[in-house]
């Protein structure tokens, strides 16, 4: 698996911005600590220490810790997520068989999560409590004409191979749930044979949703 793409792209994006050095350091330190400790579990003092700047420097550029969080995630939502979303939708449409589609979905989305795990961990926790983050996230994935959910629904239904008693939310819970559970286990419990494990996940999903 490759290294953190969103983090690398975020750094590239940040390097290209005409921002003061202290502001950039605060953003990168915040990304790392929010992912490891959570937003509520991270203090501005810890961010300042990691960034090797003063707390006064942080508050010079961000009025609150919430503003710092939004400063980190907004570029991800606006500049990076749409690229991954559009690429995923275009590739998904190439498949006509349910098993091929599920395999692509599992490998593609797991790779996306692994490549972007710092941002994803922040996103998972903040979606539950932060309305601004929810609005940004759902605005991207449900953009008219480019909705990830609607494209997955349309393409899965076209195969004609789904179990008729399963509604679409149930199908998505099965597919997405398997990926995120494995991601959390892999990150916090330890390494394993990812290819073998992902193949097993594909098999489990197919058994659950194919008629």
């Amino acid at each position: 698996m490759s290294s953190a793409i969103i983090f690398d792209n975020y750094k590239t994006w940040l390097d290209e911005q005409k921002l003061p050095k202290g502001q950039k350091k605060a953003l990168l330190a915040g990304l790392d600590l929010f992912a490891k400790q959570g937003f509520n579990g991270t203090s501005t003092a810890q961010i300042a220490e990691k960034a090797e700047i003063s707390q006064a420097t942080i508050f010079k550029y961000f009025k609150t810790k919430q503003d710092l969080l939004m400063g980190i995630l907004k570029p991800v939502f606006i500049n990076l997520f749409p690229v991954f979303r559009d690429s995923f939708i275009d590739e998904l449409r190439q498949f006509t068989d349910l098993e091929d589609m599920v395999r692509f979905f599992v490998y593609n989305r797991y790779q996306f999560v692994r490549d972007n795990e710092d941002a994803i961990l922040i996103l998972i926790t903040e979606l539950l409590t932060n309305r601004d983050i929810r609005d940004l996230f759902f605005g991207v994935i449900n953009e008219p004409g480019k909705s990830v959910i609607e494209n997955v629904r349309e393409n899965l239904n076209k195969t004609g191979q789904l179990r008729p008693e399963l509604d679409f939310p149930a199908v998505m819970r099965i597919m997405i749930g398997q990926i995120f559970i494995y991601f959390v286990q892999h990150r916090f419990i330890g390494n394993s044979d990812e290819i073998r494990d992902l193949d097993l996940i594909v098999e489990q999903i197919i058994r659950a949703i194919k008629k």
Side-chain angles (χ1 to χ4, degrees):
M1 298 290 178
S2 59
S3 60
I5 287 177
I6 270 191
F7 186 79
D8 290 342
N9 282 351
Y10 186 84
K11 289 174 66 177
T12 300
W13 175 86
L14 204 56
D15 284 342
E16 295 173 350
Q17 306 309 302
K18 295 180 179 179
L19 298 175
K21 188 175 181 180
Q23 186 175 357
K24 292 182 179 182
K25 285 185 173 183
L27 289 165
L28 291 175
L31 174 64
D32 182 64
L33 291 176
F34 290 154
K36 291 178 179 176
Q37 303 174 176
F39 177 75
N40 291 327
T42 301
S43 68
T44 53
Q46 290 172 315
I47 294 170
E49 181 179 0
K50 182 172 182 62
E52 299 181 340
I53 57 177
S54 67
Q55 288 190 72
T57 299
I58 294 176
F59 291 119
K60 177 181 178 181
Y61 302 113
F62 306 99
K63 293 181 180 179
T64 65
K65 190 171 67 167
Q66 173 71 18
D67 288 339
L68 174 58
L69 175 68
M70 294 302 291
I72 292 167
L73 289 184
K74 261 192 173 182
V76 174
F77 285 119
I78 294 171
N79 300 313
L80 301 173
F81 271 25
V83 174
F84 291 107
R85 176 201 62 199
D86 295 349
S87 173
F88 170 74
I89 290 172
D90 288 343
E91 291 186 65
L92 182 70
R93 289 171 177 164
Q94 299 175 18
F95 299 96
T96 57
D97 179 76
L98 181 63
E99 185 167 347
D100 291 338
M101 198 173 295
V102 169
R103 183 173 298 278
F104 166 74
F105 183 94
V106 168
Y107 272 85
N108 181 278
R109 293 301 82 185
Y110 180 71
Q111 184 69 57
F112 173 79
V113 171
R114 284 279 281 124
D115 285 346
N116 307 294
E117 56 186 56
D118 283 344
I120 293 297
L121 285 170
I122 296 172
L123 176 62
I124 290 171
T125 55
E126 293 305 310
L127 280 175
L128 300 175
T129 58
N130 191 315
R131 183 173 181 175
D132 291 336
I133 298 299
R134 284 199 300 271
D135 289 345
L136 276 172
F137 176 72
F138 288 110
V140 171
I141 68 168
N142 291 322
E143 183 179 335
K146 297 181 178 181
S147 168
V148 173
I149 300 299
E150 288 306 313
N151 275 276
V152 171
R153 181 203 302 267
E154 178 184 347
N155 284 276
L156 287 175
N157 285 335
K158 279 182 180 180
T159 68
Q161 296 172 298
L162 288 175
R163 289 169 55 186
E165 68 271 23
L166 289 178
D167 59 19
F168 183 69
V171 173
M172 291 306 295
R173 283 195 298 272
I174 292 168
M175 295 174 67
I176 295 175
Q178 291 277 354
I179 295 170
F180 276 100
I181 289 171
Y182 180 64
F183 163 67
V184 172
Q185 290 175 337
H186 189 276
R187 180 178 173 97
F188 295 105
I189 297 176
N191 293 326
S192 60
D193 185 338
E194 288 183 312
I195 300 299
R196 180 201 63 195
D197 293 342
L198 293 177
D199 283 344
L200 288 173
I201 288 172
V202 171
E203 291 175 10
Q204 290 168 356
I205 293 173
I206 292 297
R207 284 198 299 267
I209 70 174
K210 187 175 182 179
K211 65 183 179 182

